[in-house]
Amino acid sequence: NYSCFGGLPHCCPSGAPNMLSSSISSRDVEQQFTQNPQGSFTFTVGHTSYSLNFSTMTQSNHITGLQRKVRRRPKLMKVISCFCRLSATLTPPAPSSSQIGVVAYRWEFMGDREQWTEYQAHVCSFDSAAIERHFQFNQQGKLHFRINRHSYTLDFSSMHQVNNDIGTRRAVRRTPTHGIQLNSTQAQWQFLDINGAWTDYSKRKCSISSQEIEFQYQLNPSGTMKFSTSSFSYELSFSAMTQRNLSTGTTRAVRRLNQ
């Protein structure tokens, strides 16, 4: 494991003598990663040179050829600090007296058998809680992670994950698991389909249901939310009551029916 990712001033990749000064620090590595998440660069420890490959998340000893896995983890306190500073702009309107609790979210991707599968820390680099922290920090950003030998990119803006090795693209969804309770009013959300008929939002067709739309609407009636189908990503605007295809730009009317 690459010890300088833990923030130590002296990095000692396995195979190098202890306490040899490295030519890079965690901050240097992060700067290179930010500039090119799929790139690579070289560094030295003592008289030994190494290369670090971000796309495969490995480091290679140029003399022995030995490869080691590398991982990138957020510093939790820094994420919390940044989130607190941004809370004034990121926090939705306060819930009413009929709403209680703190919201937790589950992050899932569409699996091979057309079933939603939750991200788990023992399978990939991040679980739902870690993904949610990154999402709150930058809701238009991207998150890079690994599952076994493959590297992936999770795009918050399009709510998709992409296998960086073979290009497979899968829908991703974010759903509340517990916390704020919906008001007693139940509503059905529909969009005006291409055939001119009003069609219910359903998880049989897309990544969200009417209940989840209503949940977000009650949190912020003037906000937006993103969702996806097997082919496209969309943005639903509560203020305009429209949905927009983020690829084609096609806009369709949306309505909310009280039941």
Side-chain angles (χ1 to χ4, degrees), residues 3 11 51 64 79 112 134 143 160 184 187 204 219 229:
S3 59
C11 301
S51 62
T64 66
V79 172
D112 291 329
H134 282 270
L143 182 63
H160 275 88
S184 57
R204 294 191 301 271
L219 286 178
T229 64

Side-chain angles (χ1 to χ4, degrees), residues 51-107:
S51 62
L52 198 162
N53 190 316
F54 295 130
S55 62
T56 60
M57 292 300 282
T58 57
Q59 74 171 31
S60 301
N61 185 312
H62 288 174
I63 297 177
T64 66
L66 182 65
Q67 285 193 341
R68 298 285 186 184
K69 291 183 178 180
V70 173
R71 67 178 180 181
R72 172 180 178 260
R73 295 188 299 176
K75 290 185 177 179
L76 182 57
M77 293 309 296
K78 181 179 290 187
V79 172
I80 292 175
S81 175
C82 291
F83 176 67
C84 289
R85 289 198 300 270
L86 292 173
S87 61
T89 57
L90 292 180
T91 303
S96 66
S97 58
S98 61
Q99 299 172 319
I100 59 173
V102 177
V103 184
Y105 289 92
R106 177 186 295 113
W107 284 82

Side-chain angles (χ1 to χ4, degrees), residues 128-197:
S128 287
I131 295 174
E132 179 64 20
R133 287 195 295 270
H134 282 270
F135 177 77
Q136 292 293 345
F137 182 66
N138 183 4
Q139 299 186 14
Q140 300 299 316
K142 297 180 180 180
L143 182 63
H144 303 277
F145 63 95
R146 295 187 62 81
I147 299 178
N148 297 324
R149 59 189 179 87
H150 291 292
S151 65
Y152 297 82
T153 298
L154 197 165
D155 190 331
F156 295 136
S157 62
S158 65
M159 292 299 282
H160 275 88
Q161 78 169 29
V162 177
N163 185 313
N164 297 325
D165 302 317
I166 61 179
T168 302
R169 181 182 174 96
R170 298 187 185 277
V172 170
R173 72 177 182 181
R174 171 181 179 257
T175 56
T177 58
H178 66 271
I180 293 178
Q181 298 179 350
L182 294 177
N183 294 327
S184 57
T185 302
Q186 296 297 316
Q188 183 68 39
W189 286 81
Q190 300 175 325
F191 65 93
L192 190 59
D193 209 343
I194 191 172
N195 60 5

